[in-house]
Amino acid sequence: TTHVAGNVVYAQDPPVGGQHADRWLDCGAYETQVRAENVVHDLEHGTVLLTYRPGTSTADVERLEALLPDNGILSPWDGLDAPVVVTVWGRQLALTGADDPRLPLFIDTFGAGETAPEPFASCAGGVPDADGSQGEGMGSLPT
């Protein structure tokens, strides 16, 4: 898909694919909402995006972090229609919470990048800041 420099208006929130920034985010758990344009590049690489409503209890955030695959990103996300939403390229599932039994099933089914255009590229080595502003030159390999 196409790399873009600015912001993108996505049909879904969180997005499930489309145009994206040339730099992806590094794998891991973020305390602030990640930038959609960067995380869509991660999705292209087969990353699992696990999002939750701001204000979710610390215990539930820790539960989600424990379920996060190595090739995953955990982030709070404003305006979610459900308490927790799990996303991979082209697929998304709204969940009732951190203990929803469908979450591990979704990760088992799609967590290895089965739907992604570049499934083995990984989120490792991406920019370390949620807003995608740091690490100029990192995570900018052509796709």
PDB file of all heavy atoms in Angstrom, residues 81-106:
ATOM      1  N   ASP A  81     -15.846   1.592  20.332  1.00  0.00           N
ATOM      2  CA  ASP A  81     -17.243   1.167  20.477  1.00  0.00           C
ATOM      3  C   ASP A  81     -17.392   0.029  21.482  1.00  0.00           C
ATOM      4  O   ASP A  81     -18.495  -0.303  21.871  1.00  0.00           O
ATOM      5  CB  ASP A  81     -17.812   0.709  19.131  1.00  0.00           C
ATOM      6  CG  ASP A  81     -17.980   1.870  18.159  1.00  0.00           C
ATOM      7  OD1 ASP A  81     -18.124   3.021  18.613  1.00  0.00           O
ATOM      8  OD2 ASP A  81     -17.953   1.630  16.942  1.00  0.00           O
ATOM      9  N   ALA A  82     -16.282  -0.578  21.878  1.00  0.00           N
ATOM     10  CA  ALA A  82     -16.274  -1.690  22.825  1.00  0.00           C
ATOM     11  C   ALA A  82     -15.142  -1.451  23.825  1.00  0.00           C
ATOM     12  O   ALA A  82     -14.220  -0.683  23.543  1.00  0.00           O
ATOM     13  CB  ALA A  82     -16.055  -3.013  22.085  1.00  0.00           C
ATOM     14  N   PRO A  83     -15.169  -2.121  24.978  1.00  0.00           N
ATOM     15  CA  PRO A  83     -14.108  -1.923  25.968  1.00  0.00           C
ATOM     16  C   PRO A  83     -12.719  -2.282  25.449  1.00  0.00           C
ATOM     17  O   PRO A  83     -11.734  -1.627  25.797  1.00  0.00           O
ATOM     18  CB  PRO A  83     -14.510  -2.843  27.115  1.00  0.00           C
ATOM     19  CG  PRO A  83     -15.986  -2.994  26.985  1.00  0.00           C
ATOM     20  CD  PRO A  83     -16.258  -2.955  25.510  1.00  0.00           C
ATOM     21  N   VAL A  84     -12.633  -3.315  24.604  1.00  0.00           N
ATOM     22  CA  VAL A  84     -11.372  -3.764  24.023  1.00  0.00           C
ATOM     23  C   VAL A  84     -11.633  -4.104  22.560  1.00  0.00           C
ATOM     24  O   VAL A  84     -12.664  -4.686  22.224  1.00  0.00           O
ATOM     25  CB  VAL A  84     -10.818  -5.007  24.769  1.00  0.00           C
ATOM     26  CG1 VAL A  84      -9.570  -5.548  24.086  1.00  0.00           C
ATOM     27  CG2 VAL A  84     -10.532  -4.681  26.231  1.00  0.00           C
ATOM     28  N   VAL A  85     -10.687  -3.740  21.686  1.00  0.00           N
ATOM     29  CA  VAL A  85     -10.787  -4.076  20.266  1.00  0.00           C
ATOM     30  C   VAL A  85      -9.440  -4.631  19.829  1.00  0.00           C
ATOM     31  O   VAL A  85      -8.403  -4.034  20.092  1.00  0.00           O
ATOM     32  CB  VAL A  85     -11.163  -2.845  19.411  1.00  0.00           C
ATOM     33  CG1 VAL A  85     -11.153  -3.192  17.927  1.00  0.00           C
ATOM     34  CG2 VAL A  85     -12.530  -2.297  19.819  1.00  0.00           C
ATOM     35  N   VAL A  86      -9.465  -5.786  19.171  1.00  0.00           N
ATOM     36  CA  VAL A  86      -8.241  -6.379  18.631  1.00  0.00           C
ATOM     37  C   VAL A  86      -8.302  -6.276  17.109  1.00  0.00           C
ATOM     38  O   VAL A  86      -9.342  -6.527  16.489  1.00  0.00           O
ATOM     39  CB  VAL A  86      -8.040  -7.835  19.115  1.00  0.00           C
ATOM     40  CG1 VAL A  86      -9.182  -8.749  18.695  1.00  0.00           C
ATOM     41  CG2 VAL A  86      -6.693  -8.384  18.664  1.00  0.00           C
ATOM     42  N   THR A  87      -7.165  -5.876  16.506  1.00  0.00           N
ATOM     43  CA  THR A  87      -7.113  -5.593  15.074  1.00  0.00           C
ATOM     44  C   THR A  87      -5.875  -6.221  14.458  1.00  0.00           C
ATOM     45  O   THR A  87      -4.786  -6.157  15.033  1.00  0.00           O
ATOM     46  CB  THR A  87      -7.063  -4.063  14.830  1.00  0.00           C
ATOM     47  OG1 THR A  87      -8.166  -3.437  15.488  1.00  0.00           O
ATOM     48  CG2 THR A  87      -7.096  -3.741  13.353  1.00  0.00           C
ATOM     49  N   VAL A  88      -6.050  -6.814  13.294  1.00  0.00           N
ATOM     50  CA  VAL A  88      -4.959  -7.200  12.405  1.00  0.00           C
ATOM     51  C   VAL A  88      -5.330  -6.648  11.037  1.00  0.00           C
ATOM     52  O   VAL A  88      -6.439  -6.144  10.838  1.00  0.00           O
ATOM     53  CB  VAL A  88      -4.733  -8.737  12.355  1.00  0.00           C
ATOM     54  CG1 VAL A  88      -4.307  -9.263  13.716  1.00  0.00           C
ATOM     55  CG2 VAL A  88      -5.966  -9.469  11.840  1.00  0.00           C
ATOM     56  N   TRP A  89      -4.437  -6.736  10.076  1.00  0.00           N
ATOM     57  CA  TRP A  89      -4.721  -6.226   8.733  1.00  0.00           C
ATOM     58  C   TRP A  89      -5.999  -6.870   8.202  1.00  0.00           C
ATOM     59  O   TRP A  89      -6.085  -8.094   8.073  1.00  0.00           O
ATOM     60  CB  TRP A  89      -3.552  -6.515   7.804  1.00  0.00           C
ATOM     61  CG  TRP A  89      -3.718  -5.905   6.441  1.00  0.00           C
ATOM     62  CD1 TRP A  89      -4.357  -6.474   5.380  1.00  0.00           C
ATOM     63  CD2 TRP A  89      -3.263  -4.628   6.010  1.00  0.00           C
ATOM     64  NE1 TRP A  89      -4.311  -5.619   4.301  1.00  0.00           N
ATOM     65  CE2 TRP A  89      -3.649  -4.485   4.660  1.00  0.00           C
ATOM     66  CE3 TRP A  89      -2.560  -3.595   6.624  1.00  0.00           C
ATOM     67  CZ2 TRP A  89      -3.355  -3.342   3.929  1.00  0.00           C
ATOM     68  CZ3 TRP A  89      -2.270  -2.460   5.877  1.00  0.00           C
ATOM     69  CH2 TRP A  89      -2.660  -2.338   4.552  1.00  0.00           C
ATOM     70  N   GLY A  90      -7.013  -6.039   7.936  1.00  0.00           N
ATOM     71  CA  GLY A  90      -8.244  -6.509   7.323  1.00  0.00           C
ATOM     72  C   GLY A  90      -9.234  -7.196   8.245  1.00  0.00           C
ATOM     73  O   GLY A  90     -10.309  -7.592   7.799  1.00  0.00           O
ATOM     74  N   ARG A  91      -8.915  -7.334   9.524  1.00  0.00           N
ATOM     75  CA  ARG A  91      -9.813  -8.020  10.464  1.00  0.00           C
ATOM     76  C   ARG A  91      -9.822  -7.267  11.789  1.00  0.00           C
ATOM     77  O   ARG A  91      -8.793  -6.772  12.244  1.00  0.00           O
ATOM     78  CB  ARG A  91      -9.359  -9.445  10.758  1.00  0.00           C
ATOM     79  CG  ARG A  91      -9.176 -10.345   9.563  1.00  0.00           C
ATOM     80  CD  ARG A  91     -10.495 -10.974   9.134  1.00  0.00           C
ATOM     81  NE  ARG A  91     -10.329 -12.067   8.184  1.00  0.00           N
ATOM     82  CZ  ARG A  91      -9.989 -11.937   6.917  1.00  0.00           C
ATOM     83  NH1 ARG A  91      -9.710 -10.747   6.431  1.00  0.00           N
ATOM     84  NH2 ARG A  91      -9.910 -12.982   6.113  1.00  0.00           N
ATOM     85  N   GLN A  92     -11.003  -7.242  12.422  1.00  0.00           N
ATOM     86  CA  GLN A  92     -11.124  -6.567  13.708  1.00  0.00           C
ATOM     87  C   GLN A  92     -12.245  -7.218  14.502  1.00  0.00           C
ATOM     88  O   GLN A  92     -13.249  -7.645  13.927  1.00  0.00           O
ATOM     89  CB  GLN A  92     -11.428  -5.087  13.483  1.00  0.00           C
ATOM     90  CG  GLN A  92     -11.371  -4.231  14.717  1.00  0.00           C
ATOM     91  CD  GLN A  92     -11.460  -2.772  14.340  1.00  0.00           C
ATOM     92  OE1 GLN A  92     -12.538  -2.283  14.017  1.00  0.00           O
ATOM     93  NE2 GLN A  92     -10.322  -2.074  14.343  1.00  0.00           N
ATOM     94  N   LEU A  93     -12.051  -7.295  15.812  1.00  0.00           N
ATOM     95  CA  LEU A  93     -13.057  -7.893  16.688  1.00  0.00           C
ATOM     96  C   LEU A  93     -13.240  -7.026  17.917  1.00  0.00           C
ATOM     97  O   LEU A  93     -12.271  -6.722  18.628  1.00  0.00           O
ATOM     98  CB  LEU A  93     -12.625  -9.303  17.105  1.00  0.00           C
ATOM     99  CG  LEU A  93     -13.585 -10.090  17.984  1.00  0.00           C
ATOM    100  CD1 LEU A  93     -14.925 -10.327  17.284  1.00  0.00           C
ATOM    101  CD2 LEU A  93     -12.951 -11.400  18.415  1.00  0.00           C
ATOM    102  N   ALA A  94     -14.491  -6.612  18.153  1.00  0.00           N
ATOM    103  CA  ALA A  94     -14.846  -5.866  19.357  1.00  0.00           C
ATOM    104  C   ALA A  94     -15.077  -6.873  20.479  1.00  0.00           C
ATOM    105  O   ALA A  94     -15.781  -7.870  20.293  1.00  0.00           O
ATOM    106  CB  ALA A  94     -16.107  -5.039  19.105  1.00  0.00           C
ATOM    107  N   LEU A  95     -14.490  -6.606  21.638  1.00  0.00           N
ATOM    108  CA  LEU A  95     -14.539  -7.542  22.758  1.00  0.00           C
ATOM    109  C   LEU A  95     -15.217  -6.909  23.969  1.00  0.00           C
ATOM    110  O   LEU A  95     -15.216  -5.685  24.130  1.00  0.00           O
ATOM    111  CB  LEU A  95     -13.118  -7.976  23.131  1.00  0.00           C
ATOM    112  CG  LEU A  95     -12.325  -8.629  21.993  1.00  0.00           C
ATOM    113  CD1 LEU A  95     -10.847  -8.669  22.322  1.00  0.00           C
ATOM    114  CD2 LEU A  95     -12.865 -10.019  21.719  1.00  0.00           C
ATOM    115  N   THR A  96     -15.750  -7.753  24.831  1.00  0.00           N
ATOM    116  CA  THR A  96     -16.457  -7.272  26.019  1.00  0.00           C
ATOM    117  C   THR A  96     -15.516  -6.806  27.117  1.00  0.00           C
ATOM    118  O   THR A  96     -15.944  -6.138  28.055  1.00  0.00           O
ATOM    119  CB  THR A  96     -17.371  -8.371  26.584  1.00  0.00           C
ATOM    120  OG1 THR A  96     -16.576  -9.511  26.909  1.00  0.00           O
ATOM    121  CG2 THR A  96     -18.453  -8.753  25.577  1.00  0.00           C
ATOM    122  N   GLY A  97     -14.250  -7.162  27.036  1.00  0.00           N
ATOM    123  CA  GLY A  97     -13.277  -6.746  28.039  1.00  0.00           C
ATOM    124  C   GLY A  97     -12.014  -7.565  27.918  1.00  0.00           C
ATOM    125  O   GLY A  97     -11.861  -8.396  27.022  1.00  0.00           O
ATOM    126  N   ALA A  98     -11.102  -7.346  28.872  1.00  0.00           N
ATOM    127  CA  ALA A  98      -9.803  -8.027  28.846  1.00  0.00           C
ATOM    128  C   ALA A  98      -9.926  -9.532  29.048  1.00  0.00           C
ATOM    129  O   ALA A  98      -9.050 -10.284  28.632  1.00  0.00           O
ATOM    130  CB  ALA A  98      -8.889  -7.431  29.913  1.00  0.00           C
ATOM    131  N   ASP A  99     -11.020  -9.961  29.646  1.00  0.00           N
ATOM    132  CA  ASP A  99     -11.210 -11.391  29.920  1.00  0.00           C
ATOM    133  C   ASP A  99     -12.110 -12.076  28.891  1.00  0.00           C
ATOM    134  O   ASP A  99     -12.501 -13.231  29.075  1.00  0.00           O
ATOM    135  CB  ASP A  99     -11.758 -11.594  31.328  1.00  0.00           C
ATOM    136  CG  ASP A  99     -13.078 -10.871  31.552  1.00  0.00           C
ATOM    137  OD1 ASP A  99     -13.518 -10.095  30.667  1.00  0.00           O
ATOM    138  OD2 ASP A  99     -13.678 -11.063  32.632  1.00  0.00           O
ATOM    139  N   ASP A 100     -12.428 -11.401  27.797  1.00  0.00           N
ATOM    140  CA  ASP A 100     -13.265 -12.003  26.751  1.00  0.00           C
ATOM    141  C   ASP A 100     -12.538 -13.225  26.181  1.00  0.00           C
ATOM    142  O   ASP A 100     -11.408 -13.108  25.699  1.00  0.00           O
ATOM    143  CB  ASP A 100     -13.524 -10.971  25.651  1.00  0.00           C
ATOM    144  CG  ASP A 100     -14.580 -11.408  24.642  1.00  0.00           C
ATOM    145  OD1 ASP A 100     -14.556 -12.582  24.219  1.00  0.00           O
ATOM    146  OD2 ASP A 100     -15.411 -10.562  24.270  1.00  0.00           O
ATOM    147  N   PRO A 101     -13.154 -14.410  26.225  1.00  0.00           N
ATOM    148  CA  PRO A 101     -12.477 -15.623  25.768  1.00  0.00           C
ATOM    149  C   PRO A 101     -12.178 -15.649  24.270  1.00  0.00           C
ATOM    150  O   PRO A 101     -11.377 -16.469  23.810  1.00  0.00           O
ATOM    151  CB  PRO A 101     -13.441 -16.745  26.151  1.00  0.00           C
ATOM    152  CG  PRO A 101     -14.774 -16.092  26.283  1.00  0.00           C
ATOM    153  CD  PRO A 101     -14.506 -14.684  26.729  1.00  0.00           C
ATOM    154  N   ARG A 102     -12.777 -14.747  23.506  1.00  0.00           N
ATOM    155  CA  ARG A 102     -12.508 -14.697  22.071  1.00  0.00           C
ATOM    156  C   ARG A 102     -11.157 -14.080  21.747  1.00  0.00           C
ATOM    157  O   ARG A 102     -10.611 -14.306  20.668  1.00  0.00           O
ATOM    158  CB  ARG A 102     -13.623 -13.938  21.351  1.00  0.00           C
ATOM    159  CG  ARG A 102     -14.983 -14.628  21.477  1.00  0.00           C
ATOM    160  CD  ARG A 102     -16.087 -13.787  20.897  1.00  0.00           C
ATOM    161  NE  ARG A 102     -16.198 -12.537  21.655  1.00  0.00           N
ATOM    162  CZ  ARG A 102     -16.820 -11.441  21.212  1.00  0.00           C
ATOM    163  NH1 ARG A 102     -17.376 -11.440  20.022  1.00  0.00           N
ATOM    164  NH2 ARG A 102     -16.886 -10.356  21.956  1.00  0.00           N
ATOM    165  N   LEU A 103     -10.581 -13.302  22.685  1.00  0.00           N
ATOM    166  CA  LEU A 103      -9.306 -12.640  22.415  1.00  0.00           C
ATOM    167  C   LEU A 103      -8.184 -13.633  22.123  1.00  0.00           C
ATOM    168  O   LEU A 103      -7.540 -13.535  21.080  1.00  0.00           O
ATOM    169  CB  LEU A 103      -8.928 -11.688  23.550  1.00  0.00           C
ATOM    170  CG  LEU A 103      -7.582 -10.981  23.405  1.00  0.00           C
ATOM    171  CD1 LEU A 103      -7.459 -10.241  22.077  1.00  0.00           C
ATOM    172  CD2 LEU A 103      -7.357 -10.031  24.574  1.00  0.00           C
ATOM    173  N   PRO A 104      -7.920 -14.608  22.995  1.00  0.00           N
ATOM    174  CA  PRO A 104      -6.840 -15.553  22.654  1.00  0.00           C
ATOM    175  C   PRO A 104      -7.135 -16.356  21.389  1.00  0.00           C
ATOM    176  O   PRO A 104      -6.205 -16.702  20.643  1.00  0.00           O
ATOM    177  CB  PRO A 104      -6.724 -16.448  23.884  1.00  0.00           C
ATOM    178  CG  PRO A 104      -7.850 -16.119  24.776  1.00  0.00           C
ATOM    179  CD  PRO A 104      -8.449 -14.832  24.331  1.00  0.00           C
ATOM    180  N   LEU A 105      -8.404 -16.625  21.108  1.00  0.00           N
ATOM    181  CA  LEU A 105      -8.760 -17.348  19.881  1.00  0.00           C
ATOM    182  C   LEU A 105      -8.434 -16.508  18.646  1.00  0.00           C
ATOM    183  O   LEU A 105      -7.907 -17.013  17.649  1.00  0.00           O
ATOM    184  CB  LEU A 105     -10.245 -17.717  19.883  1.00  0.00           C
ATOM    185  CG  LEU A 105     -10.699 -18.684  20.971  1.00  0.00           C
ATOM    186  CD1 LEU A 105     -12.215 -18.828  20.961  1.00  0.00           C
ATOM    187  CD2 LEU A 105     -10.019 -20.032  20.814  1.00  0.00           C
ATOM    188  N   PHE A 106      -8.747 -15.213  18.700  1.00  0.00           N
ATOM    189  CA  PHE A 106      -8.448 -14.312  17.597  1.00  0.00           C
ATOM    190  C   PHE A 106      -6.941 -14.249  17.371  1.00  0.00           C
ATOM    191  O   PHE A 106      -6.463 -14.346  16.230  1.00  0.00           O
ATOM    192  CB  PHE A 106      -9.008 -12.914  17.902  1.00  0.00           C
ATOM    193  CG  PHE A 106      -8.886 -11.931  16.770  1.00  0.00           C
ATOM    194  CD1 PHE A 106      -9.934 -11.734  15.888  1.00  0.00           C
ATOM    195  CD2 PHE A 106      -7.726 -11.171  16.594  1.00  0.00           C
ATOM    196  CE1 PHE A 106      -9.833 -10.812  14.839  1.00  0.00           C
ATOM    197  CE2 PHE A 106      -7.616 -10.253  15.562  1.00  0.00           C
ATOM    198  CZ  PHE A 106      -8.670 -10.077  14.689  1.00  0.00           C
TER     199      PHE A 106
END
